[in-house]
Amino acid sequence: MNTKAPLTVDVEFLRRFLEGERASVREKGREFAAHPALRLKPEWNLERKRQATLEGTVALANAGFTTLAMPEHMGGPEDYAGYVAGFEELVLAEPSIQIKAGVQYGLFSGAIHHLGNKNQHERWLKDALEGKLLGSFAMTEIGHGSDVANVDTTATYDPKQQEFVIHTPHRQAVKEYIGNAAAHAQAAVVFARLITCGIDYGVHAFFVPVRSEEGRPLPGVTIEDDGHKGGLLGVDNGRFGFDHVRIPLDHLLDRYGHVAEDGEYSSPIHSPGKRFFTMLGTLVMGRVSLDGASTVASKLALDIALRYAVERTQFEGGVPGQSVRLIDYGEHQRRLMPLVAKAWANSVAHESLLDTFDEVFRSENPPEATRQLLESQAAGFKAVSTWDALDTIQECREACGGAGFVWDNRLVGLRHDLDVYVTFEGDNTVLLQLVGKRLLQDYSRELKDIDFGGAARYLSHQAAEHSLYRTGLASVGRTIGDLFTPALASKRIRSGHLQEALLSSRVDSMLSDLAQKLRPATKMDRQAAADLFNTHQHQLIETAEAYIHLLKWQALTARLRDIDTSAHPDEAKLLRRIRDLYGLTIIHEHIGWHVMYGRLPMARARLVEPTIGRLCRKLALNAPDLAEMFGFTGEHRRTQISEGQEEARQNEARAYVRQARSRTDYPIDEKIIRAKRS
Amino acid sequence: MNTKAPLTVDVEFLRRFLEGERASVREKGREFAAHPALRLKPEWNLERKRQATLEGTVALANAGFTTLAMPEHMGGPEDYAGYVAGFEELVLAEPSIQIKAGVQYGLFSGAIHHLGNKNQHERWLKDALEGKLLGSFAMTEIGHGSDVANVDTTATYDPKQQEFVIHTPHRQAVKEYIGNAAAHAQAAVVFARLITCGIDYGVHAFFVPVRSEEGRPLPGVTIEDDGHKGGLLGVDNGRFGFDHVRIPLDHLLDRYGHVAEDGEYSSPIHSPGKRFFTMLGTLVMGRVSLDGASTVASKLALDIALRYAVERTQFEGGVPGQSVRLIDYGEHQRRLMPLVAKAWANSVAHESLLDTFDEVFRSENPPEATRQLLESQAAGFKAVSTWDALDTIQECREACGGAGFVWDNRLVGLRHDLDVYVTFEGDNTVLLQLVGKRLLQDYSRELKDIDFGGAARYLSHQAAEHSLYRTGLASVGRTIGDLFTPALASKRIRSGHLQEALLSSRVDSMLSDLAQKLRPATKMDRQAAADLFNTHQHQLIETAEAYIHLLKWQALTARLRDIDTSAHPDEAKLLRRIRDLYGLTIIHEHIGWHVMYGRLPMARARLVEPTIGRLCRKLALNAPDLAEMFGFTGEHRRTQISEGQEEARQNEARAYVRQARSRTDYPIDEKIIRAKRS
Ligand SMILES: Cc1cc2nc3c(=O)[nH]c(=O)nc-3n(C[C@H](O)[C@H](O)[C@H](O)COP(=O)(O)OP(=O)(O)OC[C@H]3O[C@@H](n4cnc5c(N)ncnc54)[C@H](O)[C@@H]3O)c2cc1C
Ligand SMILES: Cc1cc2nc3c(=O)[nH]c(=O)nc-3n(C[C@H](O)[C@H](O)[C@H](O)COP(=O)(O)OP(=O)(O)OC[C@H]3O[C@@H](n4cnc5c(N)ncnc54)[C@H](O)[C@@H]3O)c2cc1C
């Protein structure tokens, strides 16, 4: 059905080019993830799934993956970005293992690492990173999920015994959804309000043993099991309640808040708010890794769906007696190709996030602007990629028809497991508000004439974190005037300049419009300001999302610029198609805005849709390459529908028909007889 | 946070008004569905889930539900629409039971009923409807899912033995995904090519026993188990292979194709294509019931999420020390309210579909136009409602945060089970093409000057069904000229006339544009015509969807007109808000189109978004009523998060704080001390 020829591309080159400097650590992660022992069987009960997940998590440490994260003073290379990258590929084996390992080596170990002192590292960190000391990260409470700055568990210092008393005052303060809690954790990093000398210093982290060596809850600790969930059945989530549980003074992870023996509190950060959010900031790795892992999951789903689409046929087409491959249907191309483009945009943007992450975590005192950018990007990228993953996996599942619903074809399980990625490590809706709030702060700083302190003050109550650092608003940068030169108005619809102009002018105008609308808040009382803000909450979130899309588009474009077009002309062309499809898809999702606000003349706007159609058709010509480019093997896909089974059966059917036709008793089609008669 | 007062509405009245004449049969269905014995536990293994599902399915017959579908000549009332309506509510108990019952009493029994003769009714139908003869509906094959007109299983007549030989010629012809196959079916209605006297008469239905009394596959029958799936774990899907299995002549369900003892074939319908699609047409009930059931599932999810949103609080708001209820967040309103409107639009439109269904199935010889409308509506409504259900359940799951991911809170299981509703009984993408194709046919008939026979011929290969009857294109009706009177241009954005004008002019112009584009196909060879069509496949599907949205909007509006506004002023207002939100939401989803094609001036288009925001805010004031209106009880929701648990814990926490504050050792917040100091 396709008459145009596909591009001739070196898929290995492309993958490595797109994965960049962390390509080889990803390869190692994938190699590990290919191990068949890491698979959970759907018929196993919860207990067995949890046990197997634990074993996979420990195997990861045994294979040496976690030493990458060992601090320098303990002999580690402290290659966080490489560590995270390898880690993300674990989702290919089992999302449950990726998440349980994330809790153990990311959150639990990471909290000890970044919030604890060297002594505490020696005591707990090595064992934790080696999977010998199993632990939980206990922040969320029943009553406080998104709003963790206000958890209610208390840690009251008792100077007589030089101990903290960890206590759950009421049911809303029970720690909830805690990974590793229901079955395996021996200890937990518990977030609780530090109270000493009659003063509540806000939320700090404490190392709290929770189970005896025999695995029973320690005195005063109540553990409940969250039981069945919508996915991640290998992860043992549960609840912790504490009834006046005593821990020694030196179990306070005291990097940002120290208590002397006599109970005197000291901290390098004065502002209680800033202190807590600085602590949280050190734990950004979780979010970063979900951005990456969900993108890996999207690629896996696309790999399966593309391979199936190339084999599977349905309905006779232009050639009598010959069925059409799914990939040759215009609609099928429209369903899958934009998702391929999104997966690569998310992937390349993620690598840039890892660069920032590396920069911040490698330096003793990273520039505030970079830290700020990291937090904003981690929040926003994670929100967009995890939602994209759900859409992508679901579309792939549907694109495989009934076969997509069969467990062994992988897509449904992946969809179930990834579901909660949009909720944990910060609910997406809340994360985008955080991004939006920072855009507003920067905006008000850049345009000095606007002060919307009232709203901003209110906003800091509303967003999960706050910070005084600058976001990357500068990268939105140029004003509409700069961008919409007359020359641009005549550019081809696939022009990168035009795409950037549209994407960034949307962020610019939505943001300035929002700032104007929130301006009156400065002169309002708190309730009125809250109401005003609430009326524009949706716009704030939309603005944040537009900004994140722009950043992702820019990351993809920046990568594109690095390709040697004379050595790799077809590869460059393919990437250009992917980039353009990404840009135009995002623009098309908000085409109404671009037209309504006069950014795109109507006649030109009408070209976007058909251009997307053409790009999808062209990209579909390289569907097998696009699948191969993801870099997975049959061991990762573990499905039959993507490994030639369908084609083998079709050949068998064709052979049967050929043979049957030669028989004298082969029936004639009634239609032919009717046609002859008439 | 909301200062405006909610409307005072009688929710019972509203529900009954919207459910219309089938409100009481739905109540009965809900009563049955509330039974706790019908619940599947997540920890059960497949076998136990299947057994419990079977028991639930049989219990339904024992409770007398299925007698409604008994044919008149067997003493039944033949109230199909009532039957289907009651049935759909079963999804509240367990989607597995709804689907297994659908296979048993809908597909299997329905095929015997509508494709068999009276003798066959006496022999099998009563037992089938009483759940005593368990059966499968075996149409799909591995190689032919959407394209069922071309299945490869053969039924060759042997005049010597007066038997049919049912045979699976190759692996692609194995019956696949067949409900009831893996464990319970004693017989199956098998769709196979009828071959007699050396002629292949195309696909017909045969009654084929598959299991012995002891439950073992009969000789020549191979049964495989599809095993774990993404949901519906209580339904035992599997595969059937036939190796020259012999059945008596009178096992051919021969309403539309009869074979005499000597092998001579006769049929009331000459055209083989029309014959097969007429057979399929009699089985429309499955699609109709999925439209209804998925709407019930959407309502259930919304009921849970709304109740939780009214209780759950997160973050401090305008009043210090007081957390904000989720339902009071602008974004939360934006997430849930349009879905409430869609659920009601789908629900009311579904009742109108049931009316048409009733009309067609009650009459001996229904008007062709009505049959045609039924098929188009069933296909299109099913596609849109099942997709809406997935979006709705997922949004509700996310809106409940971590609690939404806990199995016992119901939403994830519902989402898993409903997933495949978009695929079976006709894949949605394929169904919308069927709708689109019929629109084109009608269009070419109405505007006599256009003949695009070439494309239409090609299209009939591509759509799952074809028919010569007229769709309800007339209801799109009025031309753009009629609609866009100058008076309309000044109408309020909430004006129903404006909404209808926009929705219908979109269908009109997309359709005529498409017809123009496909016109050259008449003069093309088959391959070129196929390519041309393929390039516009996406537009065809979009057009079909726009048409279905218009029909749903019209159904909702028609219902609205029936309310006695003086007796029920607030109820009428609420419905108006729902209708307007539905209309504007659909318009906003394609706002780019409306502006690009000059239907909405830019300045007016910019009003749509804020109007939606306002409608959401207003509707959210009645959130508890909107939940209650769905008519479910705690027995249907079966979650703790929707039954006051959260509020009880909040009260407990508040009581704790009140009491603790009165203690002398209650700690002072560091922030207060800092504030005092500075
Ligand atoms: C499987 C699983 C594993 C987890 N593992 C851990 C763990 O190991 N350790 C740990 O500490 N926590 C863990 N969590 C908790 C997780 O981080 C929280 O569920 C998450 O932060 C959301 O909090 P919540 O569930 O209380 O939802 P809520 O905060 O109650 O949010 C509910 C809904 O309200 C919306 N909402 C909230 N605030 C606002 C606002 N201001 N404006 C608009 N909308 C708003 C949200 O978008 C969301 O849709 C886990 C959760 C799950 C489900
Ligand atoms: C749980 C379950 C229960 C089932 N129960 C039964 C049963 O009891 N009896 C029975 O007979 N069947 C049953 N089915 C089969 C079901 O009806 C089919 O799965 C469905 O019709 C789709 O067919 P397919 O799976 O072969 O997908 P395909 O037809 O191969 O379609 C695959 C994908 O290609 C796309 N596609 C196909 N054709 C076109 C086209 N022309 N243009 C553009 N895109 C196209 C589709 O949109 C889809 O996304 C069941 C299936 C499942 C999963």
Side-chain angles (χ1 to χ4, degrees):
Chain A
M1 189 161 280
N2 280 300
T3 46
K4 296 268 176 64
L7 299 169
T8 310
V9 293
D10 177 346
V11 291
E12 255 313 273
F13 163 80
L14 275 167
R15 180 184 57 75
R16 289 176 154 264
F17 176 76
L18 290 169
E19 288 187 351
E21 51 174 310
R22 278 169 292 269
S24 59
V25 64
R26 289 196 180 278
E27 280 159 24
K28 265 188 222 139
R30 284 199 277 271
E31 204 178 295
F32 180 84
H35 207 289
L38 299 176
R39 304 173 191 181
L40 303 184
K41 297 249 174 355
E43 63 272 17
W44 291 350
N45 64 18
L46 270 193
E47 204 188 321
R48 189 150 173 213
K49 282 179 183 152
R50 288 172 172 186
Q51 187 56 35
T53 302
L54 175 63
E55 285 161 16
T57 304
V58 173
L60 188 75
N62 294 342
F65 273 88
T66 56
T67 53
L68 279 182
M70 212 67 91
E72 267 173 29
H73 71 89
M74 294 172 73
E78 240 165 321
D79 174 12
Y80 296 117
Y83 176 55
V84 173
F87 219 83
E88 292 162 357
E89 303 285 329
L90 267 185
V91 80
L92 295 166
E94 269 301 336
S96 280
I97 296 179
Q98 189 241 321
I99 293 302
K100 186 153 179 127
V103 168
Q104 173 67 30
Y105 309 120
L107 295 171
F108 174 64
S109 303
I112 298 171
H113 186 162
H114 298 296
L115 303 180
N117 56 46
K118 288 195 179 164
N119 249 331
Q120 294 170 329
H121 294 171
E122 299 296 337
R123 273 164 81 190
W124 302 313
L125 187 54
K126 191 159 176 292
D127 282 353
L129 281 176
E130 287 178 353
K132 286 171 189 152
L133 171 66
L134 300 176
S136 283
F137 177 86
M139 179 136 70
T140 305
E141 295 178 354
I142 296 179
H144 290 100
S146 298
D147 182 20
V148 279
N150 286 305
V151 296
D152 284 325
T153 301
T154 50
T156 311
Y157 184 61
D158 171 1
K160 277 188 224 106
Q161 315 283 334
Q162 300 189 3
E163 287 174 339
F164 283 103
V165 182
I166 309 290
H167 186 62
T168 307
H170 46 70
R171 283 189 297 166
Q172 287 292 79
V174 168
K175 295 293 175 185
E176 171 62 310
Y177 312 124
I178 308 303
N180 267 352
H184 300 134
Q186 298 159 279
V189 169
V190 174
F191 288 79
R193 317 193 70 82
L194 190 162
I195 297 165
T196 180
C197 305
I199 299 175
D200 176 343
Y201 286 95
V203 180
H204 288 66
F206 302 83
F207 182 93
V208 184
V210 293
R211 275 192 177 83
S212 68
E213 293 206 349
E214 306 82 48
R216 273 192 291 275
L218 289 172
V221 179
T222 312
I223 304 183
E224 286 177 87
D225 193 327
D226 284 334
H228 263 272
K229 306 185 299 285
L232 296 181
L233 295 180
V235 183
D236 53 315
N237 294 94
R239 297 175 168 185
F240 288 128
F242 302 99
D243 182 8
H244 298 94
V245 171
R246 290 186 162 258
I247 53 166
L249 170 58
D250 64 2
H251 278 36
L252 164 65
L253 301 176
D254 68 352
R255 179 163 165 202
Y256 295 106
H258 178 79
V259 172
E261 288 182 3
D262 65 357
E264 202 188 336
Y265 179 85
S266 58
S267 167
I269 305 175
H270 290 301
S271 149
K274 192 176 163 195
R275 186 191 305 140
F276 178 62
F277 292 113
T278 304
M279 291 189 208
L280 279 192
T282 65
L283 305 171
V284 73
M285 189 167 91
R287 251 168 229 175
V288 171
S289 72
L290 291 194
D291 179 43
S294 56
T295 304
V296 172
S298 291
K299 289 177 180 175
L300 178 62
L302 285 165
D303 191 9
I304 294 169
L306 287 174
R307 284 171 199 271
Y308 188 62
V310 168
E311 281 187 21
R312 175 75 174 173
T313 61
Q314 201 67 202
F315 293 106
E316 211 175 61
V319 184
Q322 204 168 298
S323 293
V324 180
R325 300 186 312 164
L326 297 187
I327 196 65
D328 292 327
Y329 282 113
E331 181 67 6
H332 218 71
Q333 297 161 357
R334 286 296 291 255
R335 290 166 74 185
L336 297 180
M337 292 304 140
L339 299 174
V340 170
K342 284 190 180 182
W344 279 119
N346 288 338
S347 172
V348 169
H350 177 66
E351 294 302 327
S352 77
L353 174 62
L354 284 177
D355 292 339
T356 317
F357 176 67
D358 209 43
E359 195 184 326
V360 169
F361 276 75
R362 265 187 203 289
S363 75
E364 266 301 296
N365 235 325
E368 296 196 340
T370 318
R371 264 171 73 166
Q372 165 73 18
L373 190 65
L374 173 61
E375 284 182 24
S376 240
Q377 284 191 359
F381 284 12
K382 179 269 183 185
V384 170
S385 318
T386 53
W387 270 329
D388 279 349
L390 295 194
D391 288 348
T392 301
I393 301 168
Q394 181 63 23
E395 194 65 60
C396 290
R397 170 355 243 139
E398 293 179 25
C400 293
F405 197 61
V406 170
W407 188 269
D408 285 345
N409 292 327
R410 202 68 197 284
L411 297 162
V412 281
L414 215 51
R415 176 64 184 65
H416 295 181
D417 289 336
L418 269 285
D419 183 355
V420 73
Y421 285 43
V422 307
T423 297
F424 60 22
E425 292 283 350
D427 171 273
N428 284 358
T429 301
V430 175
L431 290 182
L432 286 176
Q433 287 182 67
L434 167 71
V435 175
K437 190 204 70 167
R438 287 184 170 166
L439 285 175
L440 274 177
Q441 284 174 343
D442 286 353
Y443 183 87
S444 67
R445 218 169 291 122
E446 294 213 341
L447 289 95
K448 289 267 155 48
D449 62 323
I450 300 185
D451 164 49
F452 45 145
R457 266 194 302 281
Y458 175 71
L459 280 160
S460 63
H461 283 288
Q462 289 297 326
E465 294 161 37
H466 92 174
S467 152
L468 303 169
Y469 310 119
R470 294 201 43 230
T471 35
L473 186 65
S475 61
V476 177
R478 288 164 271 168
T479 66
I480 302 167
D482 293 345
L483 289 163
F484 282 90
T485 59
L488 208 57
S490 65
K491 283 245 190 254
R492 288 164 49 244
I493 208 82
R494 274 184 66 185
S495 146
H497 289 295
L498 182 65
Q499 290 170 45
E500 184 163 28
L502 290 172
L503 293 171
S504 59
S505 86
R506 181 153 185 264
V507 180
D508 266 0
S509 355
M510 285 178 79
L511 189 58
S512 61
D513 180 58
L514 188 61
Q516 290 300 343
K517 283 176 178 157
L518 292 179
R519 204 175 197 170
T522 37
K523 285 157 215 131
M524 285 175 171
D525 65 20
R526 178 166 163 167
Q527 180 64 61
D531 287 345
L532 181 68
F533 169 77
N534 199 39
T535 312
H536 299 291
Q537 189 178 30
H538 184 63
Q539 187 174 343
L540 179 74
I541 291 169
E542 290 251 294
T543 306
E545 204 179 15
Y547 166 67
I548 296 298
H549 279 140
L550 170 66
L551 292 188
K552 293 194 176 206
W553 185 93
Q554 285 171 334
L556 193 55
T557 301
R559 197 82 200 94
L560 203 66
R561 277 200 210 100
D562 289 343
I563 200 167
D564 177 347
T565 46
S566 57
H568 299 285
D570 272 18
E571 286 82 359
K573 242 185 192 166
L574 190 81
L575 290 191
R576 182 75 211 282
R577 286 176 186 174
I578 288 174
R579 199 282 312 265
D580 290 349
L581 182 56
Y582 181 71
L584 292 178
T585 299
I586 301 298
I587 289 165
H588 191 252
E589 285 171 7
H590 305 284
I591 191 84
W593 190 93
H594 295 289
V595 182
M596 270 190 290
Y597 290 92
R599 295 302 182 279
L600 254 185
M602 299 202 281
R604 282 165 68 64
R606 290 197 288 264
L607 298 177
V608 174
E609 215 285 323
T611 308
I612 289 175
R614 262 194 304 281
L615 281 166
C616 289
R617 260 196 307 288
K618 284 184 184 172
L619 277 169
L621 294 169
N622 282 93
D625 297 318
L626 292 171
E628 196 66 25
M629 256 170 80
F630 294 131
F632 308 137
T633 67
E635 263 100 57
H636 299 117
R637 290 183 295 270
R638 312 180 217 149
T639 62
Q640 295 199 293
I641 53 167
S642 54
E643 313 302 313
Q645 190 199 42
E646 175 73 21
E647 200 180 350
R649 276 192 308 246
Q650 285 169 11
N651 290 336
E652 188 185 309
R654 271 190 289 267
Y656 170 87
V657 173
R658 256 196 314 277
Q659 220 215 320
R661 281 231 169 98
S662 64
R663 288 194 332 246
T664 52
D665 66 344
Y666 188 75
I668 309 169
D669 193 320
E670 183 194 8
K671 286 180 209 134
I672 296 171
I673 298 181
R674 289 196 172 274
K676 278 192 192 140
R677 270 194 216 139
S678 63
Chain B
M1 188 161 280
N2 278 299
T3 45
K4 297 267 177 65
L7 299 169
T8 309
V9 293
D10 176 345
V11 291
E12 256 311 275
F13 164 80
L14 276 167
R15 180 184 59 74
R16 290 177 154 263
F17 176 76
L18 290 169
E19 289 187 350
E21 51 174 310
R22 278 169 292 268
S24 59
V25 64
R26 290 196 181 277
E27 280 159 25
K28 266 188 221 141
R30 284 200 276 272
E31 203 178 299
F32 180 84
H35 207 289
L38 299 176
R39 303 172 192 182
L40 304 183
K41 297 250 173 355
E43 64 272 16
W44 290 350
N45 63 18
L46 272 192
E47 205 187 320
R48 188 148 174 215
K49 281 179 185 153
R50 288 171 172 185
Q51 188 55 36
T53 303
L54 175 62
E55 285 161 16
T57 304
V58 173
L60 188 73
N62 293 343
F65 274 87
T66 56
T67 52
L68 279 182
M70 214 66 93
E72 266 173 31
H73 70 88
M74 291 171 75
E78 239 164 324
D79 174 12
Y80 296 118
Y83 177 54
V84 172
F87 219 83
E88 292 162 355
E89 303 285 330
L90 266 185
V91 81
L92 295 167
E94 268 301 335
S96 281
I97 297 179
Q98 189 240 321
I99 293 303
K100 186 152 180 129
V103 169
Q104 173 68 30
Y105 309 119
L107 295 170
F108 174 65
S109 304
I112 297 170
H113 186 162
H114 298 297
L115 304 179
N117 55 46
K118 288 195 178 165
N119 250 328
Q120 294 169 329
H121 294 171
E122 300 295 338
R123 274 164 81 190
W124 303 311
L125 186 55
K126 192 161 175 293
D127 281 352
L129 283 176
E130 287 178 353
K132 287 173 188 150
L133 171 67
L134 299 176
S136 284
F137 177 87
M139 178 137 70
T140 305
E141 296 178 353
I142 295 179
H144 290 99
S146 297
D147 182 21
V148 279
N150 286 305
V151 296
D152 285 325
T153 301
T154 50
T156 311
Y157 184 61
D158 171 0
K160 275 188 225 108
Q161 313 285 331
Q162 299 189 5
E163 286 174 339
F164 283 103
V165 181
I166 309 289
H167 186 61
T168 307
H170 46 70
R171 284 188 297 166
Q172 287 293 79
V174 168
K175 295 294 176 186
E176 171 63 310
Y177 312 123
I178 309 302
N180 267 351
H184 300 134
Q186 297 159 281
V189 170
V190 174
F191 288 80
R193 315 194 70 79
L194 189 163
I195 297 164
T196 180
C197 305
I199 299 175
D200 177 342
Y201 287 94
V203 181
H204 288 67
F206 301 83
F207 183 92
V208 184
V210 294
R211 274 193 177 82
S212 68
E213 293 206 350
E214 305 81 51
R216 273 193 290 275
L218 289 172
V221 179
T222 313
I223 303 182
E224 286 176 87
D225 193 326
D226 285 333
H228 263 272
K229 306 184 301 283
L232 296 180
L233 295 180
V235 183
D236 54 316
N237 293 95
R239 297 175 168 184
F240 287 127
F242 302 98
D243 182 8
H244 298 94
V245 171
R246 291 186 161 259
I247 53 165
L249 170 58
D250 63 3
H251 278 37
L252 163 66
L253 301 177
D254 68 352
R255 177 163 165 203
Y256 294 107
H258 178 80
V259 173
E261 288 181 4
D262 63 359
E264 200 187 337
Y265 179 85
S266 57
S267 168
I269 305 176
H270 291 299
S271 149
K274 191 176 162 195
R275 186 191 306 140
F276 178 63
F277 291 113
T278 305
M279 290 190 208
L280 279 192
T282 64
L283 305 171
V284 73
M285 188 167 90
R287 251 167 228 175
V288 171
S289 72
L290 291 194
D291 178 44
S294 55
T295 303
V296 173
S298 292
K299 290 178 181 174
L300 178 62
L302 285 164
D303 190 9
I304 294 169
L306 287 174
R307 284 170 199 271
Y308 187 61
V310 168
E311 281 186 22
R312 175 76 173 171
T313 62
Q314 201 67 201
F315 293 107
E316 212 174 60
V319 183
Q322 204 168 301
S323 294
V324 180
R325 300 186 312 165
L326 298 186
I327 195 65
D328 291 327
Y329 282 114
E331 181 66 7
H332 217 73
Q333 296 161 358
R334 284 298 290 255
R335 291 166 75 185
L336 297 180
M337 292 304 140
L339 299 174
V340 170
K342 283 190 181 182
W344 279 118
N346 289 337
S347 173
V348 169
H350 178 67
E351 294 302 328
S352 77
L353 174 62
L354 285 177
D355 292 340
T356 317
F357 176 69
D358 208 43
E359 193 185 327
V360 169
F361 277 74
R362 266 188 201 288
S363 75
E364 266 302 295
N365 235 325
E368 295 196 341
T370 318
R371 264 171 73 166
Q372 166 73 18
L373 190 65
L374 172 62
E375 284 181 24
S376 241
Q377 285 192 358
F381 284 12
K382 179 266 185 188
V384 170
S385 318
T386 53
W387 270 328
D388 280 349
L390 294 194
D391 289 347
T392 301
I393 300 168
Q394 182 63 23
E395 195 64 60
C396 291
R397 167 0 240 137
E398 295 179 23
C400 293
F405 196 60
V406 169
W407 189 270
D408 284 345
N409 291 328
R410 203 65 200 284
L411 296 163
V412 282
L414 215 52
R415 176 62 184 67
H416 296 181
D417 289 337
L418 270 285
D419 184 355
V420 74
Y421 285 43
V422 307
T423 297
F424 60 22
E425 292 283 349
D427 171 274
N428 285 0
T429 302
V430 175
L431 290 182
L432 285 176
Q433 287 182 67
L434 166 71
V435 175
K437 191 203 68 167
R438 287 182 170 168
L439 285 176
L440 274 176
Q441 285 174 340
D442 286 352
Y443 184 87
S444 67
R445 218 167 293 124
E446 293 213 340
L447 289 92
K448 288 268 155 49
D449 62 324
I450 301 184
D451 165 49
F452 46 145
R457 265 194 302 281
Y458 174 72
L459 280 160
S460 64
H461 283 288
Q462 289 298 326
E465 294 163 37
H466 92 172
S467 154
L468 304 170
Y469 310 120
R470 293 201 45 229
T471 35
L473 187 64
S475 61
V476 177
R478 289 165 273 168
T479 67
I480 303 168
D482 293 344
L483 289 163
F484 282 90
T485 59
L488 208 54
S490 64
K491 282 245 190 252
R492 288 164 49 243
I493 209 81
R494 273 184 68 184
S495 144
H497 289 295
L498 182 66
Q499 291 171 44
E500 183 162 28
L502 290 171
L503 292 172
S504 60
S505 86
R506 180 152 186 264
V507 181
D508 266 0
S509 355
M510 285 179 78
L511 189 58
S512 61
D513 180 58
L514 188 62
Q516 290 299 342
K517 283 175 179 158
L518 292 179
R519 204 176 196 168
T522 36
K523 286 157 213 129
M524 286 176 170
D525 66 20
R526 178 167 162 163
Q527 180 64 62
D531 287 345
L532 181 69
F533 169 77
N534 199 37
T535 312
H536 299 290
Q537 190 178 30
H538 184 63
Q539 187 174 342
L540 180 74
I541 290 168
E542 290 251 295
T543 306
E545 205 178 14
Y547 166 67
I548 297 299
H549 278 140
L550 171 66
L551 292 188
K552 293 193 176 202
W553 184 93
Q554 285 172 333
L556 193 54
T557 302
R559 197 81 199 95
L560 204 65
R561 275 198 212 104
D562 289 345
I563 201 167
D564 177 347
T565 46
S566 57
H568 300 284
D570 272 17
E571 286 82 359
K573 242 185 191 166
L574 190 81
L575 289 191
R576 182 75 211 282
R577 287 176 184 172
I578 289 175
R579 198 283 311 267
D580 290 348
L581 182 56
Y582 181 71
L584 292 177
T585 299
I586 301 298
I587 289 165
H588 191 252
E589 284 171 7
H590 306 283
I591 190 84
W593 189 93
H594 295 289
V595 183
M596 273 189 290
Y597 290 91
R599 293 302 181 279
L600 252 186
M602 299 203 282
R604 282 164 70 64
R606 290 197 288 265
L607 299 178
V608 174
E609 215 285 322
T611 308
I612 289 176
R614 260 194 305 279
L615 281 166
C616 289
R617 258 194 310 287
K618 284 185 185 172
L619 276 168
L621 294 170
N622 283 94
D625 297 318
L626 292 171
E628 195 66 25
M629 254 170 80
F630 294 132
F632 308 137
T633 67
E635 262 100 57
H636 299 118
R637 291 183 294 270
R638 309 180 220 150
T639 63
Q640 294 198 294
I641 52 167
S642 53
E643 312 303 313
Q645 191 199 42
E646 175 73 21
E647 201 180 350
R649 278 192 308 245
Q650 285 169 10
N651 290 337
E652 187 185 310
R654 271 190 288 267
Y656 169 86
V657 173
R658 254 196 315 275
Q659 220 215 319
R661 281 231 169 100
S662 64
R663 287 194 333 246
T664 52
D665 65 344
Y666 188 75
I668 308 168
D669 194 320
E670 182 194 8
K671 285 179 209 140
I672 295 171
I673 297 181
R674 288 196 173 272
K676 276 192 195 145
R677 270 196 217 138
S678 63

